[in-house]
Amino acid sequence: MTDRIRAGIAGVGFMGTVHARAIRRSGGIVVGVVGATGESSRRAAERLGAERPVDSYQELLGSDIDVVHICTPNATHAPLVRAALAAGKHVVCEKPLAVGRAEAEELAGLAAAAGVTATVPFVYRFYPAVREARDRVATGASGAVRLLHGSYLQDWLAAETDDNWRVDAAAGGPSRAFADIGVHWCDLAEFVSGHRIVAVAAQTMTAVPHRGGRPVTTEDAAVVLFRTDRGAVGNVTISQITPGRKNRLWVSVDGSAESLSFDQENPESLWIGGREVNRQWLRGAGAGSAAAEGYVTVPAGHPQGYQDCFDAFVADTYAAIGGQPPDGLPTFADGRRAAVITEAVLASARARAWVEVAA
Ligand code: SOE
């Protein structure tokens, strides 16, 4: 496909804005955007540089777009994805793909049957340091992976006065912290290690029982033990109430020959621990694997960050739309995987027992 990809965006908040930048940086065209109201759509069309304002999602789907980016609250993803697939569009749907396993499985099945490109932005895969870690494990440099551990900590809900649509199960789904960011950590741990989580023992907690004058039924934090399909064990702490941690995803993959750790708040390097020597691999300094170098866009010392990951994710999605799906592209199958793990975490927390994670 030599023509530029023509994209529509549903949802014009923080994520819709990030997607709009990435669409343009990937050579795409933002044809139209639709928000909650006609007025918010028109304002966003101007702010995001869309070709024209659009009054409704149906009008957007009826226009000359190749792909729609769904950046709306979680509970609206399924109906919007169904309509986009029925209209023959490729789809980029924000995570979580759906608010439950059954819905996620349905959407993954519909996308496969439609034969379109359907992706989910597990964008932390697109840091060059993460690709370097994945390559070191895949090529055997790290040895056999024995432990996976870490945390994903934020603080934007730490205050009792903090509130957000994700707090409400009706809009966000039955899980909040884990479905929102725990799935990123699990995706990254599995992506780098090649292992699959097969059983979890989880504890969730809601530190702030009321927000905005209403009771809270979704978790502020979760602590999860797990086993993998290849004999490793691990644990992860997920929190959106940890003061001072803004978006601190940290994962350690501990092999028999070396351990690797990546910190999303310090993404320009990969720590490589050895018995005799510890090293810091530096992005862009020329010593990376081909897998890592493919995502280096500027030299070392000129930091790449979150938006760069999003740009690479959208560019790879568009390459897939053009018939050349790159390695490591997160699809609806990965969105389904996230929903399966989330369901097991909630079930384990309720039962206070180990729960198997379906394949
Ligand atoms: C809020 O927790 C949020 O924007 C998530 O929804 C994103 O997936 C994550 O990348 C950053 O934090």
Side-chain angles (χ1 to χ4, degrees):
M1 180 180 288
T2 55
D3 298 337
R4 295 173 65 189
I5 299 282
R6 297 177 61 78
I9 302 175
V12 293
F14 163 62
M15 291 316 304
T17 303
V18 170
H19 281 249
R21 288 189 204 113
I23 291 165
R24 249 194 296 283
R25 292 176 183 172
S26 302
I29 297 169
V30 178
V31 174
V33 299
V34 61
T37 66
E39 179 51 32
S40 66
S41 302
R42 280 184 289 281
R43 280 202 309 271
E46 190 171 336
R47 174 170 60 86
L48 300 178
E51 276 188 341
R52 59 178 181 276
V54 167
D55 286 331
S56 71
Y57 185 64
Q58 282 312 320
E59 181 188 341
L60 184 67
L61 291 183
S63 62
D64 58 336
I65 60 172
D66 305 299
V67 58
V68 63
H69 292 240
I70 296 170
C71 307
T72 53
N74 304 345
T76 66
H77 290 177
L80 297 182
V81 167
R82 290 188 196 106
L85 294 173
K89 307 301 182 184
H90 302 281
V91 184
V92 177
C93 183
E94 265 297 331
K95 28 66 51 198
L97 174 60
V99 294
R101 171 182 173 182
E103 223 175 43
E105 292 188 332
E106 175 212 350
L107 299 180
L110 287 174
V116 295
T117 294
T119 61
V120 175
F122 287 117
V123 293
Y124 300 117
R125 295 185 180 195
F126 291 87
Y127 276 116
V130 169
R131 297 291 172 130
E132 181 68 13
R134 182 174 184 244
D135 188 78
R136 294 190 69 89
V137 173
T139 57
S142 306
V145 173
R146 295 162 167 167
L147 288 171
L148 296 164
H149 55 100
S151 57
Y152 192 163
L153 309 174
Q154 298 177 330
D155 68 2
W156 63 285
L157 285 169
E160 297 193 0
T161 51
D162 292 324
D163 204 351
N164 181 266
W165 58 263
R166 291 179 179 82
V167 170
D168 295 323
S175 167
R176 177 188 4 115
F178 191 86
D180 188 17
I181 61 174
V183 294
H184 271 304
W185 191 92
C186 292
D187 176 75
L188 210 59
E190 293 191 334
F191 182 69
V192 170
S193 68
H195 287 223
R196 305 281 277 182
I197 295 169
V198 294
V200 295
Q203 184 70 55
T204 59
M205 67 96 75
T206 301
V208 180
H210 290 83
R211 294 183 190 264
R214 65 199 189 288
V216 175
T217 60
T218 55
E219 79 281 4
D220 290 319
V223 178
V224 184
L225 291 175
F226 58 84
R227 296 194 297 269
T228 76
D229 60 340
R230 294 163 61 181
V233 296
N235 71 284
V236 61
T237 299
I238 303 300
S239 163
Q240 295 184 314
I241 55 170
T242 299
R245 297 298 191 183
K246 302 310 177 192
N247 198 34
R248 209 283 190 150
L249 185 165
W250 185 85
V251 58
S252 186
V253 177
D254 301 358
S256 53
E258 66 184 20
S259 58
L260 305 170
S261 68
F262 171 75
D263 178 353
Q264 199 281 145
E265 291 186 345
N266 179 25
E268 289 286 272
S269 67
L270 174 69
W271 185 85
I272 303 171
R275 283 295 296 273
E276 290 74 32
V277 173
N278 294 339
R279 291 180 291 141
Q280 289 276 34
W281 175 88
L282 298 180
R283 181 208 56 83
S289 61
E293 293 305 308
Y295 292 99
V296 172
T297 58
V298 287
H302 304 70
Q304 291 183 209
Y306 174 80
Q307 183 70 54
D308 296 287
C309 289
F310 241 100
D311 299 350
F313 160 71
V314 171
D316 278 10
T317 293
Y318 289 6
I321 290 173
Q324 297 178 329
D327 175 46
L329 183 65
T331 68
F332 274 25
D334 301 293
R336 172 204 166 274
R337 173 93 187 126
V340 167
I341 296 175
T342 300
E343 180 187 73
V345 163
L346 290 186
S348 172
R350 278 194 302 269
R352 296 179 181 269
W354 279 91
V355 168
E356 301 295 309
V357 176

